[in-house]
Amino acid sequence: MTWQDRQSFLGEDSEQRLAEAVVGIAGLGGGNSHVVQQLAHVGIGNFVLIDEDVISITNMNRLIGGTRKDVADETAKTEIMRRMILSINPEANIQTCQSIWQLAPDSLKSCDLVIGGLDKVRAKDELDAFCRRFLIPYIDQGMDVHKLGDRDFLISGQVMLSAPGGPCLRCLGIVTEHALEEEARAYGHAGAKPQVVWPNGVLASSAVGIAVALLTPWYRQTPFSRYLTYDGNTGVMAEGDRLKRWGSKACTHHEDRQVGDPTFDIRKMVAEGIS
């Protein structure tokens, strides 16, 4: 008997697939702290954890695994997540990068999939483009709070799988020129980067479900593209209309030929005797 027996429905070789999988987590605050915890429980064997920040007192309402002692010690979020993973699965291999994701491209290239929990629209756009260039499925999460009246607020969010051949974040309107222009201004209506633990958990669980469907054979129709929307006021998660309207059209923002490392030069490898 193993600790994964109750998820044997994922497939006969699912335990090995999960143990061999390499998952990149870009941004470890809020939603992705849930993702890290759940992926560790599922049995993911290899993690690339990327975040430049240390924990602060304002993170305590949503950062899974964070403690008041971590706040006092100014512990890096990468270290908090590493500690949490190893407490669940001591055999996991973990690479941490305490930096912005743009400074860890080589680490991300090794991943089978990447899950983003980035606040900035531009960062989402750039990470989506990076993953498409290297043919890596990218799962993005986003949550915001919108003011409805003097006292009422709407919590909303979305989870999207952006994979080569399917629509990207720009195709489905998660990244727009207007959003990029407005980004320097107010973020939402509940202060900077509004986040609370329970919507993050819902979105993260949906993201983990998509990730497991990509990595294991439990679901016959491996998801090619997914777009889920969340109404936090009613608690409803549903397939978004944007993906239905998009249909089977190809992505119009990333050409098929725009793959591989643009800085790669075979002549350098030949000169160094690597080929």
Side-chain angles (χ1 to χ4, degrees):
M1 180 176 291
T2 73
W3 57 292
Q4 293 175 301
D5 279 353
R6 293 197 178 186
Q7 60 186 43
S8 59
F9 71 90
L10 296 177
E12 291 183 3
D13 61 345
S14 61
E15 187 170 341
Q16 180 178 352
R17 289 193 187 198
L18 294 168
E20 294 176 350
V22 183
V23 179
I25 313 291
L28 299 174
N32 261 353
S33 65
H34 290 265
V35 167
V36 169
Q37 182 189 53
Q38 292 186 37
L39 290 179
H41 280 292
V42 165
I44 294 298
N46 305 277
F47 292 83
V48 176
L49 306 177
I50 304 175
D51 198 299
E52 63 179 322
D53 290 336
V54 300
I55 189 173
S56 67
I57 191 63
T58 60
N59 300 139
M60 289 302 295
N61 76 320
R62 64 191 182 279
L63 187 68
I64 302 302
T67 67
R68 291 299 178 107
K69 185 176 186 302
D70 289 325
V71 174
D73 294 343
E74 297 184 339
T75 306
K77 292 179 181 178
T78 51
E79 173 58 25
I80 294 171
M81 295 301 107
R82 187 191 71 83
R83 181 183 69 204
M84 182 166 62
I85 292 169
L86 292 177
S87 71
I88 298 167
N89 180 9
E91 297 181 359
N93 298 307
I94 305 167
Q95 179 181 353
T96 61
C97 305
Q98 192 179 351
S99 67
I100 58 175
W101 77 262
Q102 290 90 339
L103 297 181
D106 290 337
S107 297
L108 285 175
K109 289 177 191 176
S110 69
C111 296
D112 296 306
L113 65 91
V114 173
I115 302 178
L118 305 172
D119 294 323
K120 299 296 185 182
V121 178
R122 186 167 300 281
K124 291 173 178 283
D125 187 33
E126 292 173 351
L127 183 54
D128 187 22
F130 174 90
C131 289
R132 282 178 172 266
R133 178 171 286 280
F134 294 100
L135 303 178
I136 303 170
Y138 171 59
I139 302 172
D140 181 78
Q141 308 166 78
M143 192 211 105
D144 206 350
V145 178
H146 305 272
K147 193 170 185 180
L148 299 178
D150 293 338
R151 299 174 60 185
D152 295 330
F153 293 87
L154 168 67
I155 296 174
S156 64
Q158 74 282 324
V159 178
M160 179 180 171
L161 167 61
S162 173
C168 69
L169 268 60
R170 283 179 175 261
C171 292
L172 297 191
I174 294 175
V175 173
T176 65
E177 292 302 323
H178 176 72
L180 291 170
E181 292 171 1
E182 291 292 312
E183 189 162 61
R185 304 178 187 177
Y187 188 101
H189 297 280
K193 304 175 185 176
Q195 298 262 334
V196 282
V197 70
W198 72 91
N200 282 339
V202 173
L203 296 172
S205 293
S206 297
V208 170
I210 294 171
V212 173
L214 287 171
L215 295 171
T216 66
W218 76 278
Y219 186 57
R220 289 186 180 183
Q221 295 181 335
T222 301
F224 179 69
S225 183
R226 296 296 303 275
Y227 179 71
L228 305 175
T229 61
Y230 176 61
D231 182 336
N233 292 37
T234 62
V236 173
M237 177 74 81
E239 192 77 44
D241 289 338
R242 294 181 188 181
L243 184 57
K244 296 176 184 177
R245 291 197 299 267
W246 187 260
S248 59
K249 294 184 291 184
C251 173
T252 58
H253 302 96
H254 304 279
E255 298 180 20
D256 291 341
R257 62 183 178 83
Q258 292 178 330
V259 297
D261 191 339
T263 65
F264 176 79
D265 189 340
I266 188 62
R267 293 169 298 182
K268 292 182 181 179
M269 295 187 67
V270 171
E272 296 172 359
I274 299 176
S275 64

